[in-house]
Amino acid sequence: MTFPEDVHILVSMVNMYLRDRYSSPQDLCEDLDADLDEMEAKLASAGYHYDENTNSYKLA
């Protein structure tokens, strides 16, 4: 899977998948054949971090 260049679109897409289909970012990336480290690096570059309690990425 290729990630969107716009990080805000990426976080919206990832959070929707986490809310509706996946119990963790690892499950999402494994199922979509995506690189977890690349996804998290893109999100972190805009200040997003993963919150296990809500299973979503939020601004730090």
Side-chain angles (χ1 to χ4, degrees), residues 3 7 23-24 54 58:
F3 296 115
V7 73
S23 61
S24 71
T54 61
K58 299 181 174 191

Side-chain angles (χ1 to χ4, degrees), residues 3-4 6-15 39 42-43:
F3 296 115
D6 186 310
V7 73
H8 301 291
I9 292 173
L10 175 61
V11 74
S12 178
M13 180 187 80
V14 167
N15 281 339
M39 180 184 80
K42 282 187 175 198
L43 293 170

